[in-house]
């Protein structure tokens, strides 16, 4: 299984949707909640190449983007290969 990290905000509907998709796929992920944590938020921005919105998703250290990008990978049939072909 790949290493999956998702930076989230607790009341963010996009974050909830992205976590649900990953959970439905049965993959484990590390969630880093950035609410009120400026250090973790800054870390997310640096890791994502300047993106400031949550969620930000990383698979094996590679930035995937947010919920829209994750869902686009799923629709294109590419997400499973990122999650399971290891």
């Amino acid at each position: 299984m790949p290493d999956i990290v998702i930076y989230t905000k607790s009341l963010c509907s996009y974050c909830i949707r992205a976590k649900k998709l990953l959970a439905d796929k049965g993959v484990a992920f590390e969630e880093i909640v950035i609410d009120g944590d400026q250090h973790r938020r800054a870390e997310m921005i640096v890791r994502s190449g300047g993106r400031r919105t949550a969620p930000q998703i990383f698979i094996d250290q590679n930035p995937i983007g947010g919920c829209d990008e994750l869902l686009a990978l799923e629709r294109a049939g590419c997400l499973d290969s990122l999650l399971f072909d290891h």
Side-chain angles (χ1 to χ4, degrees):
M1 281 284 183
D3 179 43
I4 302 169
V5 176
I6 179 170
Y7 289 83
T8 66
K9 290 185 174 182
S10 49
L11 298 178
C12 167
S13 62
Y14 292 101
C15 300
I16 293 166
R17 190 169 180 192
K19 291 187 301 182
K20 182 178 180 339
L21 176 57
L22 293 171
D24 288 349
K25 293 280 187 181
V27 296
F29 55 88
E30 176 187 0
E31 179 180 9
I32 301 172
V33 180
I34 63 170
D35 293 332
D37 189 333
Q38 293 306 314
H39 173 73
R40 289 298 212 168
R41 180 172 166 72
E43 174 185 282
M44 177 194 80
I45 293 168
V46 169
R47 283 187 72 186
S48 66
R51 292 183 177 172
R52 298 178 174 276
T53 58
Q56 288 301 315
I57 303 156
F58 299 84
I59 299 176
D60 283 338
Q61 306 297 322
N62 298 309
I64 299 303
C67 182
D68 290 341
E69 290 82 8
L70 186 70
L71 293 171
L73 285 169
E74 174 69 357
R75 282 191 302 273
C78 300
L79 184 57
D80 285 355
S81 65
L82 291 174
L83 298 176
F84 302 113
D85 291 348
H86 287 273

